[in-house]
Amino acid sequence: MTTTVDTGDFTAWLRDFQGAALLRRTWGDPDWSARARLEPALVRSLQRFQVGEDGDGARLMDKARRAGDPVYAEAVRLFVAEECEHARLLARLLEAAGAATIAGHWTDAVFVRLRRLLGLRTELMVLMLAEVVALGYYRVVRDGVRDLLASEVAGRILADELRHVPFHRDRLRMSFRRSSRLSRLIASALWWSLLAGVLAVVAVDHGEALHGAGVSRTAFAGEVAGYFRGIVAEVMRADAGVMTG
């Protein structure tokens, strides 16, 4: 038996994803013939992010379908398609730099297992950690790496991530709408704890690349925590509902 959950009106988000897909088809690809000159530390970092962006998203889409809102489910399908596009762009960037993609990485394996533990809300809360880290990471690559092709690819991905974060925020706000204040406080504390762990891993795995782009581990962590603080506040607001923008 399928359980129907009130997920709110996600029609505007569906149209937003459809519009973004149309824009990508209109723009076409970056000029890969320009080649890319990337530092070895950045190559290793991008390889790990490429693995994280890759995947078919089947479990997430299945959970979205079972939530009972076909509009939201279709928006999630387009979100997954954008993540796959990010993986493709990063793979082509690595190829342009004369580097290969990697088959997998332990951090991605752990992250995927965490996401799949429980239902849609838990998966989205874990996924949001990756999204806020991505905001900081692709901003650093776009602005701090002295390679035009890498900057363009990072800018394209960042534009998508800036939409992904409020999209997931809206769904999470709806999921906490009937939660008690105590439940929200506990969920917030656990969420922050998970972010602390994620940032520790990022500092180890990507610190050298961040430093090469002119950003310290501490500054990066502070930037990501700033994004996250606003997201937690909005998700856990007592008057939860779908927001816009």
Side-chain angles (χ1 to χ4, degrees):
M1 181 177 178
T2 301
T3 301
T4 301
V5 178
D6 178 14
T7 55
D9 185 5
F10 281 83
T11 302
W13 279 118
L14 177 57
R15 291 173 178 166
D16 186 75
F17 279 106
Q18 291 169 334
L22 178 60
L23 280 177
R24 281 194 298 276
R25 290 194 294 272
T26 302
W27 289 338
D29 265 14
D31 180 12
W32 304 116
S33 66
R35 310 302 292 173
R37 294 172 177 81
L38 308 178
E39 294 296 325
L42 180 59
V43 168
R44 292 191 296 272
S45 178
L46 289 171
Q47 286 171 327
R48 293 165 187 175
F49 264 85
Q50 194 276 334
V51 168
E53 298 277 9
D54 206 4
D56 61 9
R59 287 178 181 264
L60 175 60
M61 289 189 291
D62 182 59
K63 290 175 184 177
R65 283 192 295 269
R66 286 189 278 115
D69 182 343
V71 173
Y72 174 70
E74 177 61 12
V76 168
R77 186 187 69 80
L78 294 177
F79 157 74
V80 171
E82 286 191 357
E83 293 290 286
C84 292
E85 173 65 5
H86 296 172
R88 187 187 72 84
L89 288 173
L90 291 174
R92 292 298 305 273
L93 175 60
L94 288 165
E95 180 184 357
T101 58
I102 58 177
H105 192 258
W106 72 267
T107 53
D108 181 62
V110 170
F111 183 76
V112 169
R113 288 193 181 97
L114 279 174
R115 281 175 50 184
R116 294 176 176 176
L117 280 176
L118 296 171
L120 178 61
R121 183 164 76 180
T122 300
E123 178 145 7
L124 291 180
M125 290 180 77
V126 176
L127 181 60
M128 183 67 88
L129 300 174
E131 296 292 306
V132 294
V133 167
L135 285 182
Y137 181 81
Y138 290 116
R139 200 278 305 164
V140 169
V141 175
R142 184 196 65 183
D143 298 344
V145 173
R146 296 179 181 178
D147 181 88
L148 292 178
L149 188 56
S151 180
E152 180 180 354
V153 169
R156 290 189 182 209
I157 297 175
L158 179 61
D160 288 339
E161 299 294 355
L162 286 168
R163 294 171 23 256
H164 292 177
V165 167
F167 170 60
H168 297 313
R169 172 206 65 197
D170 279 2
R171 179 61 183 86
L172 285 168
R173 289 192 79 215
M174 294 299 299
S175 74
F176 278 101
R177 184 174 57 184
R178 296 182 178 90
S179 298
S180 67
R181 184 172 182 272
L182 179 59
S183 295
R184 293 167 192 263
L185 289 172
I186 293 172
S188 297
L190 290 172
W191 211 6
W192 272 106
S193 297
L194 284 173
L195 179 70
V198 168
L199 288 176
V201 171
V202 170
V204 173
D205 274 359
H206 304 279
E208 188 178 354
L210 294 171
H211 180 74
V215 176
S216 69
R217 293 172 173 86
T218 302
F220 180 80
E223 181 176 347
V224 172
Y227 297 146
F228 192 64
R229 184 174 295 106
I231 295 302
V232 173
E234 290 168 359
V235 166
M236 300 301 174
R237 276 171 53 183
D239 59 336
V242 174
M243 301 173 68
T244 58

